[in-house]
Amino acid sequence: MIRQLEREMHAAATSTLNDWHRFKWDEARSAGFRGPAEAHLKATLQGGDTLARYDLAANEGVPRAVDHDLQMWGCVACNLCVTVCPNDAFFRLPTPAGSDLGSRQQYMVLAELCNECGNCMVFCPENGDPAQVKAKLYIDAGRFEAAGGNGFLLAAGDDQVAITARAGSESELPHLSELLNDPDEGLPLRIHDLAALAERSSG
Ligand code: SF4
Ligand code: SF4
């Protein structure tokens, strides 16, 4: 469904869902319909095979599974955790050139946005819970100290993101620093602003 949507948005020269919806409404109305549903209904009643794409036969396959235990770095990089997270907690960064981290993309969790709903675990094809296994990044020191599991506290350094690892996660610091301080990509947040905000709200 997502691939189909991507193709249709591309064909309509739209880059956001809102624009694409507007395009579909304009298209239907300029063809004399009251909206896209009426256009679809008419095509179906006229014998068009408009429902075949999403029928049971096309979707009854077992979800893809990979017999591999999820690790903090490297995975099949299917991107599903980013797509299905309802809270925008997951993000990805390309693996820097020359890095020894597996796979072309690395996935991280913004811990303060994750409410542990479990959705990413349902969709992840590897064995394990992405929200617990992938690197959990905190902005708020209080929440970082109160939480368990892997964890990294981010702060604004002089010219780089300063990272503190929770006990047990220190060996991952060089990898995380390589990703978050990559000059071409790096952490997609304004850490100065967020760190100041976290300090004010806890103070
Ligand atoms: S468990 Fe956390 S990261 Fe995973 S989908 Fe839910 S909110 Fe998002
Ligand atoms: S869903 Fe799992 S395998 Fe896919 S990118 Fe996220 S962590 Fe990696």
Side-chain angles (χ1 to χ4, degrees), residues 145-162:
E145 277 150 25
N150 91 65
F152 303 89
L153 178 66
L154 309 187
D158 288 342
D159 53 358
Q160 295 214 315
V161 179

Side-chain angles (χ1 to χ4, degrees), residues 64 66 70-72 74-84 90 92 103 105-107 120-121 123-131 133-134:
R64 192 165 65 122
V66 180
L70 196 61
Q71 308 289 325
M72 186 177 288
C75 59
V76 296
C78 65
N79 209 44
L80 281 171
C81 49
V82 176
T83 311
V84 303
F90 253 104
R92 68 177 179 179
S103 81
Q105 303 281 351
Q106 304 300 331
Y107 293 82
C120 54
M121 182 166 58
F123 283 87
C124 179
E126 299 206 11
N127 306 321
D129 181 352
V133 177
K134 293 297 182 185

